[in-house]
Amino acid sequence: MSSTKAPARKGFNGYAATWRFPIIIWQALFFLGPLIFMVAMSFFLVKNYRMEEAFEFKNWQKMLTRGYFWDSYFLTLALATVSTIVTSVLAFPAAFALAFKVSPTVRRWALFLLIIPFFTSYLVRVFSWYVILAESGVVNALLAHIGLGPYTMLNTKFGTIVGYMTLTLPLVVVLQTFALANIDRNLVQAAHNLGCTPWRAVYRVIMPLAKTGLVVAALFCFILSFGDFVSPYYLGGSKPPTLPILIIDTTKSGQQWPRAAVVAVVMMVTLISIAFAALALAYRKRASR
Amino acid sequence: MSNPLVEFKRVAKRFGDFVAVKSMDLSIDPGEFIAIMGPSGCGKTTTLRMLAGLDKPTEGSIYIDGQLMNDVRPHERDTPLVWQSLALFPFLNVRENVEFGLKMRNQDAAVRREKAMDWLDRLGVAEFAGRNVETLSGGQRQRVALARSLVTEPRLLLLDEPLSALDAHLVIRMQSVLTKLQRELGITFVYVTHSQSEAFAMADRVVIMSDGEVAQTAVPRDIYREPANRFVAEFVGRNNIVSGKVSAIEARRVSVESAMGQFSVIADEGRIPAAGADITFVIAADLVEISRTPGDAENTVACSLISEEFIGSVVTLFLETADGDELKVQLQERELVTLDHTSGGTFFLSWQSASAHMLPQ
């Protein structure tokens, strides 16, 4: 009788485990740990400018019953939503042209140029808007030629949105370009073949085909805008404050780290819910009945 | 004699330096089933795409129903195409896919639904109307793609190797579905394929293309038995091609001196070559007799067996003359028994002079 080799042990695969291990450690160390700490901190108390471990709902009560918290919450939500819609709409024609109307070489160069803004600090780029948007700035000087203005653009919600877009527009164009460039061209031609005009095909065929990528691009735009501190602070004038500004203000006034943690937890919950909803939409398949 | 539905007049298509179609003339009658066949890169798919308006001819004119189509855009024509990849929309269910063409023609929702269901029913896939197209099998998707193309009741249906992704047994079934549909509807099918069996099984006429040109247009039997040139003779069927010089002419009987020996060929009236002319003729492998004894037939070649190809009831034997020229014989598998072909030795191939088909010079 010949001896057969013992079958490989089930339940442990060294190769797969090796690849899985780092991400688990990473997530536990840098995401889950801090998150748990932050949630715990939102129940701590501050006495004589010093934080003490506790399990009290006082911070939650204080924040969630204040009108200014909810004003700030809905303002942040509204600004991020407007930023997402405006950015996605403005990015689409550019991404469409890059995906369908230019040669692969031009597309490569254009994508490279879209990455260049990220070489400079976002803060520096936001400051450069001062020269352009100020009442004596470039835009108003040009408008004066045709007898308009001057308009106040700095320290307004318009300024905030311009700032958000400085951060998000190049990224959204890049993500949308990838989404559009990867769709099956045969399907677009098949639509034309079935009597669909090129204009109609954009909405009827191209957008549904690129849906996942378009939604993910919009989601990135929303997340970056919602959590941004720089634009609402320097271009939006920080009044009324958005949630990230509220966090800074709260920590500065009387070392209220636990109350800031409440704001942060609310932001996290909001973003996680929106991300889940967006991804569900992005990956939704047609139900099969 | 009705006017042709489709006419190509000296149509050429170039992509940069690449010539896909060179000066093509073709005329297709209403109700015809035309197969365009050729090796890959011969321009057959480009021809089809030009009919759909997806590629624009560089030169020449294409007429559909007497109307010049060169500048008519794809969405302005009614020339649905059944794609090789099927190109079903993954974001629509089966019924919505079929409705698409009607929706683009702004038809009423109730009418759309009814027509789509009629076609799905006709093609036997109505039960999948609400399903995601990705959950269907290859054969079922094929039927959905057909329904989607036919729902607008076009006069011309274009098919680009639609059966190439299917299993062999499904191909046979879909062939009968297609021919039956075409007969019932009486519309024109233009069917591009690289498969000889598909083209011959379904088409009224076959167009053989080579290097962007039409090599021959004829009914399947003539393509098979009377190839117009060497390319067709080599591309279609299993043909033995013999070249030589005319040594004598006696009425229509032409004697040919070739490297393999002396043969005689019956030339067509009015196409009798001159003595001393170069000549090429074709003998289909299934018209060649094989025997162990020389016999007294006039066109006889002694050979030895190199290999055989067995495809069910038909067997092709590959043989070689003493000089290394290859000849093919096709026979029924049951005929092999009496031949004792595995024991080696000499075989004698022969054919009737009338079986040889002379290629035009």
Side-chain angles (χ1 to χ4, degrees):
Chain A
M1 228 182 96
S2 66
S3 68
T4 51
K5 227 177 145 185
R9 231 177 340 142
K10 275 195 176 166
F12 184 79
N13 175 339
Y15 179 78
T18 308
W19 286 109
R20 256 184 239 135
F21 198 59
I23 185 80
I24 293 171
I25 294 291
W26 179 274
Q27 292 287 356
L29 221 55
F30 298 110
F31 178 72
L32 204 58
L35 184 67
I36 290 168
F37 180 67
M38 188 176 75
V39 172
M41 193 168 73
S42 72
F43 299 100
F44 290 2
L45 291 176
V46 174
K47 282 176 184 159
N48 299 325
Y49 299 102
R50 284 172 61 111
M51 200 155 62
E52 285 177 9
E53 281 180 39
F55 190 73
E56 299 276 352
F57 286 88
K58 276 185 183 154
N59 302 312
W60 286 90
Q61 251 167 12
K62 206 141 207 142
M63 293 310 284
L64 299 191
T65 54
R66 292 281 160 83
Y68 72 79
F69 171 79
W70 290 111
D71 288 348
S72 177
Y73 183 81
F74 288 114
L75 172 71
T76 314
L77 209 58
L79 285 174
T81 306
V82 170
S83 159
T84 304
I85 294 167
V86 172
T87 307
S88 296
V89 169
L90 286 183
F92 191 77
F96 191 89
L98 289 181
F100 298 117
K101 301 295 174 195
V102 301
S103 70
T105 317
V106 172
R107 185 187 312 149
R108 245 190 323 266
W109 276 104
L111 289 175
F112 176 69
L113 292 177
L114 283 164
I115 293 169
I116 285 188
F118 296 100
F119 291 3
T120 330
S121 160
Y122 165 51
L123 187 63
V124 174
R125 282 181 286 142
V126 160
F127 272 119
S128 70
W129 279 112
Y130 275 75
V131 184
I132 298 162
L133 298 181
E135 292 199 15
S136 55
V138 178
V139 174
N140 275 319
L142 289 174
L143 287 175
H145 279 293
I146 52 168
L148 291 173
Y151 295 102
T152 305
M153 287 176 281
L154 290 175
N155 302 327
T156 63
K157 293 185 179 67
F158 174 77
T160 306
I161 299 284
V162 169
Y164 283 161
M165 288 176 66
T166 309
L167 180 64
T168 58
L169 188 62
L171 178 72
V172 172
V173 173
V174 169
L175 291 176
Q176 286 191 353
T177 304
F178 284 139
L180 293 173
N182 282 331
I183 70 173
D184 181 354
R185 305 289 171 96
N186 273 351
L187 291 173
V188 181
Q189 294 195 339
H192 295 164
N193 178 251
L194 290 166
C196 186
T197 65
W199 282 107
R200 215 167 165 186
V202 174
Y203 171 69
R204 286 282 173 202
V205 181
I206 294 172
M207 282 169 63
L209 284 173
K211 187 183 73 178
T212 303
L214 298 180
V215 171
V216 168
L219 177 62
F220 262 105
C221 183
F222 186 88
I223 291 172
L224 289 174
S225 304
F226 193 78
D228 183 41
F229 166 76
V230 173
S231 287
Y233 194 82
Y234 290 104
L235 295 175
S238 77
K239 287 209 171 57
T242 60
L243 292 178
I245 294 172
L246 195 62
I247 291 179
I248 303 285
D249 288 352
T250 314
T251 57
K252 280 181 183 161
S253 58
Q255 295 292 313
Q256 276 297 347
W257 289 92
R259 285 184 197 171
V262 168
V263 180
V265 170
V266 170
M267 284 182 76
M268 287 292 289
V269 170
T270 305
L271 283 180
I272 288 172
S273 318
I274 285 171
F276 266 110
L279 292 177
L281 172 72
Y283 288 102
R284 192 182 58 182
K285 291 263 175 189
R286 281 216 57 96
S288 212
R289 274 172 282 127
Chain B
M1 188 67 196
S2 55
N3 291 323
L5 180 67
V6 175
E7 261 194 302
F8 281 71
K9 286 189 177 161
R10 292 184 301 283
V11 173
K13 175 66 186 175
R14 288 186 290 271
F15 298 97
D17 288 339
F18 176 70
V19 182
V21 174
K22 299 172 198 165
S23 190
M24 180 173 188
D25 285 296
L26 180 66
S27 152
I28 302 171
D29 286 333
E32 258 196 306
F33 194 135
I34 288 276
I36 303 180
M37 198 177 121
S40 47
C42 72
K44 56 188 193 294
T45 296
T46 306
T47 304
L48 202 69
R49 288 175 57 87
M50 285 196 283
L51 265 178
L54 297 166
D55 285 330
K56 212 172 146 177
T58 319
E59 278 167 26
S61 336
I62 297 176
Y63 297 88
I64 297 180
D65 218 3
Q67 194 197 340
L68 180 66
M69 299 302 279
N70 287 33
D71 293 320
V72 180
R73 300 170 71 194
H75 61 90
E76 295 161 340
R77 348 183 148 199
D78 193 12
T79 51
L81 173 61
V82 180
W83 299 70
Q84 184 170 13
S85 63
L86 301 184
L88 292 172
F89 301 123
F91 49 88
L92 299 178
N93 70 19
V94 167
R95 198 195 75 237
E96 291 162 337
N97 259 284
V98 177
E99 281 184 28
F100 191 86
L102 299 171
K103 194 165 182 171
M104 293 306 121
R105 284 163 180 76
N106 300 315
Q107 289 212 16
D108 190 65
V111 177
R112 280 193 330 236
R113 197 187 176 105
E114 197 189 317
K115 282 190 182 168
M117 289 312 294
D118 277 355
W119 276 101
L120 287 171
D121 193 38
R122 185 161 188 168
L123 285 156
V125 282
E127 58 186 300
F128 307 116
R131 290 264 291 267
N132 179 335
V133 287
E134 279 156 11
T135 64
L136 266 56
S137 73
Q140 290 159 353
R141 271 188 249 183
Q142 186 70 64
R143 288 162 189 262
V144 175
L146 269 173
R148 186 178 71 169
S149 299
L150 288 167
V151 74
T152 55
E153 291 162 31
R155 294 183 60 194
L156 177 62
L157 182 70
L158 311 175
L159 303 106
D160 185 12
E161 309 213 17
L163 308 185
S164 60
L166 297 186
D167 295 342
H169 69 281
L170 269 177
V171 170
I172 306 288
R173 199 187 305 163
M174 283 309 294
Q175 280 179 6
S176 66
V177 169
L178 284 171
T179 33
K180 188 158 165 275
L181 260 179
Q182 197 261 344
R183 299 275 137 75
E184 286 172 5
L185 300 170
I187 66 174
T188 306
F189 277 29
V190 181
Y191 188 101
V192 159
T193 182
H194 64 266
S195 155
Q196 183 180 319
S197 61
E198 284 176 27
F200 285 6
M202 295 186 282
D204 298 321
R205 277 197 303 155
V206 177
V207 178
I208 307 283
M209 287 187 75
S210 153
D211 264 342
E213 284 176 308
V214 173
Q216 187 173 8
T217 306
V219 300
R221 189 257 161 211
D222 287 356
I223 296 272
Y224 193 67
R225 287 297 182 218
E226 293 165 24
N229 48 52
R230 198 182 180 102
F231 173 80
V232 177
E234 283 173 348
F235 183 68
V236 175
R238 290 234 185 263
N239 286 310
N240 296 297
I241 301 170
V242 181
S243 295
K245 269 194 187 333
V246 176
S247 59
I249 304 165
E250 187 186 311
R252 285 170 53 207
R253 181 174 293 269
V254 178
S255 297
V256 182
E257 189 67 47
S258 84
M260 272 191 272
Q262 178 89 27
F263 303 114
S264 69
V265 183
I266 307 295
D268 290 339
E269 203 73 61
R271 276 177 48 195
I272 297 166
D278 288 322
I279 187 173
T280 303
F281 63 93
V282 172
I283 317 104
D286 61 317
L287 297 178
V288 178
E289 306 278 345
I290 183 165
S291 159
R292 281 299 204 172
T293 51
D296 55 358
E298 50 184 338
N299 304 303
T300 304
V301 185
C303 295
S304 54
L305 183 68
I306 318 169
S307 63
E308 62 177 302
E309 184 188 82
F310 171 70
I311 48 157
S313 65
V314 176
V315 177
T316 306
L317 300 179
F318 296 86
L319 301 105
E320 208 175 54
T321 64
D323 291 340
D325 292 311
E326 194 190 82
L327 286 167
K328 289 163 278 204
V329 184
Q330 217 165 50
L331 64 168
Q332 296 292 313
E333 197 274 336
R334 62 184 148 75
E335 294 173 291
L336 272 184
V337 183
T338 57
L339 201 62
D340 184 25
H341 69 294
T342 51
S343 65
T346 306
F347 296 84
F348 296 91
L349 305 188
S350 63
W351 59 88
Q352 314 226 308
S353 298
S355 299
H357 167 72
M358 219 176 80
L359 291 179
Q361 291 304 303

